[in-house]
Amino acid sequence: MNNPGSAAPAPRLASCTYAAPLPGGADGASLADLLTTGSECAWIRYGEGMVGVGTAARFATTGPGRFEAARRWWMAATESEAAETAEAAEPEGVPRTTVPDDGLPRRSPLAFAAFAFADESPVESVLMVPEFVVGSAHGRSWLTWQVDLDAPGYVERAAAGWRPGRAEAEQRLAGLLAEAAARRPGAAGGAGTGARGLELSDGVLSQEGYRAAVDRGVRQIEAGALTKLVLARDAVVRSADPVDVPRVLRTLTVQYRDCWTYAVGGLIGSTPEMLVKVDGATARARVLAGTLDRDGAPEGAAGTDYARRLLTDDPKQRHEHRLAVDSLTERLEPFTTSLDAPEEPFVLELPNVWHLATDVTARLVGAEGARRTGPGALALTEVLHPTAAVCGTPREAAAELIGRLESGDHGLDRGLFAGPVGWLDGNGNGEFGLALRGAVVEDEHTVRLYAGCGIVAASDPESELAETHAKMRPMLQALGLRD
């Protein structure tokens, strides 16, 4: 299946950005406070990031050409803004970063995005352009108002020269927030508050089926068909009360501050893994592979020593991790002038698990001056996805076997799980994590969770199943099913 996207023309986006306190204005106000209806987009870490409110435009596509289709649509949507601000572009040699020295982002539209894991998935990959983006970084906060100049409410005014401005933006945002407050889920109930009637059950790929899939995967690895394979399963949470998605997201921003909490079109979660971040000429990534459950493990310094011993000193864990790092750096390197990936991983401590982690930093080609000539965040995302961390090694053989063991044998389509999720702007900057430790809100009473594990020759089916339980724990806690 390949649906390159809607035949409707791309919007003609225009935006204005200005410094402003977070809406609400009270001391202690946070980005997470803007998550009120469950329809907002979000990208939050350590309390900073962005929340999208309202919808200015949306693009959906499927198939192998989904990244290219999204990139072409986005280029067309931001072309008008780029042309109108060309005279104000930075001089040659000045980095085009997301947040420059004055603390505000460049004047450029911004979209949130989520892409399906597999080329064959019928699940739509989406770009969501919020009407408002509320941002906070480096102690500064700002607002961006984004409009489609060809939309019915603006087309005649735009033809007369109108463009979005601050005074009208503040009036419009106040109206949107008032509407959102009126639609906010009631405080008396909602999954995530110990709500009544919460039920967890196996998904399409049962626990028994998962053990069998892991066993078959190990046998394929032992036969030399591939070196590493990542296999996933799903689980379903049903609630008698409507799921309070905003509360779930706010809980994740507090309990998993070191992760990137995301929300795009019903895909929610808190990922510890950064596929790629592009900020001007710099690209960064955080690669995770090698996992140890913290449930029942020692605490404090004893726990740290325990994790180092069972992760850093374990040949299986180190081998799995090195495959993931190499799969990313080998594909990223051709687009860089320099690249740093430490040989020794570090142990990342999260509330539910420990991971072996490596932070990669690179200098990109063609990223200097006012016009980017090299690849931006979305182009690099297409190059890098899927890495060995979510697919396997070799990539093509692993992807084919995933299709057989997950979809072919059990009917499991990962959909947006383990695909890229994040944001991009019109300058080529952006952040795309992997949609892990998350779920899809299927309706107001149903949430489908996903988790996967890296399989190598030494993998044990029971241990891998236990690891999926550990990886689902963040969402189960946020939903109110685990302490």
Side-chain angles (χ1 to χ4, degrees), residues 68-101:
E68 176 65 18
R71 186 162 61 249
R72 289 183 179 276
W73 183 86
W74 184 239
M75 289 176 63
T78 57
E79 184 177 22
S80 174
E81 175 99 344
E84 292 189 9
T85 58
E87 294 182 0
E90 297 81 4
E92 289 295 323
V94 176
R96 300 163 69 254
T97 60
T98 304
V99 182
D101 290 341

Side-chain angles (χ1 to χ4, degrees), residues 210 233 451-453 463-473:
Y210 187 74
R233 71 177 183 93
C453 298
S463 298
E464 301 302 336
L465 176 62
E467 185 175 316
T468 65
H469 285 285
K471 290 178 174 177
M472 289 183 179
R473 194 177 302 139

Side-chain angles (χ1 to χ4, degrees), residues 256-292:
Y256 290 83
R257 288 174 52 81
D258 193 28
C259 297
W260 290 268
T261 296
Y262 58 86
V264 181
L267 175 71
I268 62 173
S270 199
T271 182
E273 187 153 5
M274 176 63 68
L275 178 63
V276 66
K277 173 182 179 179
V278 174
D279 191 4
T282 302
R284 304 182 189 276
R286 171 165 286 183
V287 182
L288 305 182
T291 304
L292 181 63

Side-chain angles (χ1 to χ4, degrees), residues 50-324:
M50 292 174 288
V51 170
V53 179
T55 303
R58 181 183 185 273
F59 177 76
T61 183
T62 60
R66 61 198 182 283
F67 292 101
E68 176 65 18
R71 186 162 61 249
R72 289 183 179 276
W73 183 86
W74 184 239
M75 289 176 63
T78 57
E79 184 177 22
S80 174
E81 175 99 344
E84 292 189 9
T85 58
E87 294 182 0
E90 297 81 4
E92 289 295 323
V94 176
R96 300 163 69 254
T97 60
T98 304
V99 182
D101 290 341
D102 63 4
L104 292 176
R106 301 302 183 195
R107 183 172 179 262
S108 177
L110 182 143
F112 293 83
F115 290 89
F117 170 82
D119 290 349
E120 302 79 15
S121 177
V123 174
E124 289 184 336
S125 300
V126 296
L127 264 63
M128 307 285 292
V129 183
E131 185 172 354
F132 284 91
V133 178
V134 182
S136 175
H138 312 316
R140 298 284 301 277
S141 59
W142 68 88
L143 281 173
T144 296
W145 185 24
Q146 310 187 127
V147 301
D148 176 7
L149 296 177
D150 291 331
Y154 300 112
V155 62
E156 291 186 2
R157 298 170 66 194
W162 176 89
R163 292 298 182 268
R166 177 169 183 167
E168 191 171 349
E170 292 180 348
Q171 293 176 359
R172 174 62 181 157
L173 178 59
L176 280 180
L177 293 179
E179 292 174 12
R183 291 186 288 125
R184 185 169 185 164
T193 66
R196 63 184 178 87
L198 286 173
E199 177 185 292
L200 174 66
S201 61
D202 280 352
V204 174
L205 207 170
S206 68
Q207 296 182 63
E208 180 181 353
Y210 187 74
R211 283 190 290 260
V214 171
D215 183 66
R216 289 188 61 190
V218 168
R219 282 189 271 122
Q220 289 292 313
I221 293 170
E222 291 174 339
L226 67 170
T227 307
K228 177 188 175 180
L229 174 69
V230 179
L231 289 174
R233 71 177 183 93
D234 61 330
V236 178
V237 173
R238 294 180 176 85
S239 172
D241 294 318
V243 177
D244 190 343
V245 174
R247 189 183 296 270
V248 170
L249 290 168
R250 292 195 297 270
T251 298
L252 290 172
T253 66
V254 173
Q255 294 184 347
Y256 290 83
R257 288 174 52 81
D258 193 28
C259 297
W260 290 268
T261 296
Y262 58 86
V264 181
L267 175 71
I268 62 173
S270 199
T271 182
E273 187 153 5
M274 176 63 68
L275 178 63
V276 66
K277 173 182 179 179
V278 174
D279 191 4
T282 302
R284 304 182 189 276
R286 171 165 286 183
V287 182
L288 305 182
T291 304
L292 181 63
D293 193 355
R294 293 192 63 187
D295 194 18
E299 298 290 336
T304 302
D305 292 341
Y306 172 79
R308 287 173 180 162
R309 185 170 66 255
L310 294 186
L311 286 175
T312 308
D313 298 339
D314 186 326
K316 170 192 176 291
Q317 303 278 19
R318 291 293 294 264
H319 176 59
E320 180 185 341
H321 185 77
R322 178 44 53 185
L323 290 173

Side-chain angles (χ1 to χ4, degrees), residues 116-118 121 123 229-233 267 385-387 389-392 398 402-403 406-407 411-419 435-436 440 448 450-453:
F117 170 82
S121 177
V123 174
L229 174 69
V230 179
L231 289 174
R233 71 177 183 93
L267 175 71
H385 176 75
T387 69
V390 292
C391 182
I402 288 170
E406 292 181 1
S407 181
L412 175 65
D413 176 20
R414 293 188 182 187
L416 298 174
F417 168 70
L436 307 174
V440 172
R448 188 174 300 272
Y450 296 84
C453 298

